[in-house]
Amino acid sequence: MSLHLKDIAKWLNLPVPDDIEITGVSIDTRTLMPRNLFVALPGTQVDGHDFIPDAVRLGAAAILCVRSQQNLKIPV
């Protein structure tokens, strides 16, 4: 699968960032592959926002999340 971050942003009615190729989507850092979009889902048992630093370290191309994130070197 190959998508572009600008297209995903348009679909979600979000500000369009610099274009980056996304090779997949993951909600779990255990299955995250480099260049994937990491979707941080909030939850009652586990909150995906807690795993954002791991996703960045594992090579996520961008993060999609509900809560504001600071000082990440990839698009949020």
Side-chain angles (χ1 to χ4, degrees):
M1 171 171 71
S2 178
L3 296 170
H4 289 268
L5 188 57
K6 68 178 182 176
D7 295 327
I8 296 169
K10 287 178 187 176
W11 296 335
L12 298 173
N13 199 27
L14 296 170
V16 178
D18 292 336
D19 195 27
I20 296 174
E21 184 179 11
I22 302 293
T23 59
V25 178
S26 181
I27 61 169
D28 188 332
T29 55
R30 295 173 294 184
T31 60
L32 181 81
M33 301 296 291
R35 300 181 56 100
N36 279 183
L37 171 66
F38 180 68
V39 180
L41 298 176
T44 57
Q45 299 292 324
V46 177
D47 189 335
H49 294 81
D50 296 338
F51 297 93
I52 289 174
D54 293 333
V56 172
R57 183 179 46 77
L58 292 168
I63 305 293
L64 179 61
C65 59
V66 176
R67 291 196 298 268
S68 177
Q69 302 295 308
Q70 301 296 321
N71 302 319
L72 295 181
K73 296 183 181 195
I74 62 174
V76 178

